Amino acid sequence: MACTTQSALDYVKSARVHLVRELNNLSVVVENLYQQRVFSDEEVKEIQAERHDYDKTRRILDSVTKKGEAACYKFLRIIDVTRKRTLGRTSLVPETKSSASTEAKKFDLHIWISCFSFKDDTQMDINYLQGSRPCHRYQENLKSKAQKISNEFWKANKIQFDRNNKPDLSYAALVLDTQGSVSPSKIKKLKNKKSKMSRPKKLRTYIPEDSPDISPSDLLKTDKNILLVGKPGIGKTALTHEMLKLWAERDNKELDYMFYFDMRETSHIMMAKSLEDLLFSVISEPDEGKEEVLQDIKKNSDNITSLVQSLS
């Protein structure tokens, strides 16, 4: 999508006013510039000493542009690789206002970075951090805990898959019904009487008419709230733990979080009085940078998956 032949230095200078106003997660930018040896320890300390993000961004841009073309190129590469966090969300709703006062808001940094002509140096982005070190460390802790929970579940249910003691297992297709759109599954629904029905009868109303192939890994890629329903013993809990296992084993560059809540442990959950209590006291507490991790979770809710195991 590259569409410019400007030098990296000129490209950074041309968007300075927009970068100063809209650049996010400055710690990610600074940490990666430090890892790429653009910034020294002293420069990092000077940037961190600034009280406001506006001043931090100005100092970052001043330092990068003074160092010349190579530093600006590395800066642009970092922005390109980490754009989901450093540039925020893309605009989903087009601008409708035509007044001159909204002209500045129409500058899209996502389009801007996409138009820069990068070299064929894909190896450069392998070690780039998507978040601060405390955030990555917290992700590692969550994955370790998810792996432990999943392993304990499969060990406890190992007898179910013993060849010498294999029970008569039945399976049902996993169907994702997207509410408000035409779905091939077309779940059968009842209207007013549904709420008055017994649980077994309610579950029968969700028998799929069509069953497209959907795997646990597919569910991890969805960006919607999912309610998993089915008869007792059909494998809802197994599917949940398989998703935990897949996420824990997934080796990707993106910084994301998964939180598993077992509603059978309601005493701990009900005691939580804030988001911080719910995540850090009930699930897992960061080893360092608690406030930084909490802010990253709040600002990047799109990168969070919550699995809630019901009482049944």
Side-chain angles (χ1 to χ4, degrees), residues 4 51 71 150 203 280:
T4 182
R51 297 182 60 184
S150 179
L203 292 174
F280 297 164

Side-chain angles (χ1 to χ4, degrees), residues 8-17 19 65 72 112:
L9 177 60
D10 291 337
Y11 208 64
V12 172
K13 287 182 176 180
S14 67
R16 178 186 173 87
V17 63
L19 289 167
T65 53
C72 288
W112 168 78

Side-chain angles (χ1 to χ4, degrees), residues 26-83:
L26 302 180
S27 61
V28 177
V29 179
V30 173
E31 180 64 29
N32 279 296
L33 287 170
Y34 176 76
Q35 293 294 325
Q36 295 297 315
R37 299 183 179 180
V38 176
F39 286 167
S40 64
D41 289 323
E42 187 63 30
E43 287 174 307
V44 171
K45 291 179 181 178
E46 291 176 354
I47 293 171
Q48 293 175 340
E50 296 288 354
R51 297 182 60 184
H52 304 291
D53 285 349
Y54 177 82
D55 295 322
K56 288 181 180 180
T57 308
R58 289 183 59 189
R59 187 176 282 273
I60 292 171
L61 294 174
D62 287 342
S63 183
V64 167
T65 53
K66 285 179 181 177
K67 291 177 184 294
E69 179 68 16
C72 288
Y73 185 88
K74 289 182 179 180
F75 172 77
L76 291 173
R77 172 61 75 181
I78 291 168
I79 297 301
D80 182 46
V81 174
T82 65
R83 65 172 70 183

Side-chain angles (χ1 to χ4, degrees), residues 1 6 35-36 43 96 110 138 152 165 184 207 211 292:
M1 188 176 175
Q6 278 186 294
Q35 293 294 325
Q36 295 297 315
E43 287 174 307
T96 57
H110 285 271
Y138 187 59
E152 290 176 350
N165 188 30
I207 299 175
S211 54
E292 188 172 3

Side-chain angles (χ1 to χ4, degrees), residues 19 21-29 53 57 79 82-89 109 299-300:
L19 289 167
R21 185 178 62 246
E22 300 179 31
L23 195 61
N24 299 317
N25 285 296
L26 302 180
S27 61
V28 177
V29 179
D53 285 349
T57 308
I79 297 301
T82 65
R83 65 172 70 183
K84 287 183 67 175
R85 289 177 177 271
T86 55
L87 301 185
R89 301 178 181 178
L109 285 173
K299 292 179 180 178
N300 299 281

